[in-house]
């Protein structure tokens, strides 16, 4: 069997989709909270992301 680039992409996309759908459906609803904080050691702002249940 010859596998070209298009066939590989279609096949891997189908596999990833079938694996991801049950995980998305089973996840509990969550909220993402993004906070910007000044980090003195870095000398710049950095983003802190928290995931909290709804």
């Amino acid at each position: 069997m010859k596998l070209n680039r298009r066939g590989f992409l279609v096949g891997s996309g189908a596999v990833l989709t079938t694996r991801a759908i049950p995980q998305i459906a089973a996840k509990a609803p969550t909220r993402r909270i993004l906070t910007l904080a000044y980090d003195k050691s870095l000398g710049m702002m950095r983003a802190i992301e928290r995931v909290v249940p709804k």
Side-chain angles (χ1 to χ4, degrees):
M1 178 177 139
K2 259 188 162 177
L3 188 62
N4 58 13
R5 181 176 176 215
R6 182 178 289 167
F8 174 77
L9 290 175
V10 169
S12 61
V15 169
L16 290 174
T17 302
T18 57
R19 287 187 180 180
I21 289 175
Q23 292 175 353
I24 292 170
K27 283 186 181 178
T30 58
R31 252 179 32 187
R32 294 181 180 270
I33 299 174
L34 183 65
T35 307
L36 293 176
Y38 186 76
D39 192 340
K40 289 181 182 178
S41 63
L42 293 174
M44 61 185 200
M45 299 291 285
R46 84 181 167 116
I48 303 168
E49 184 178 23
R50 292 185 300 154
V51 179
V52 294
K54 274 190 171 179

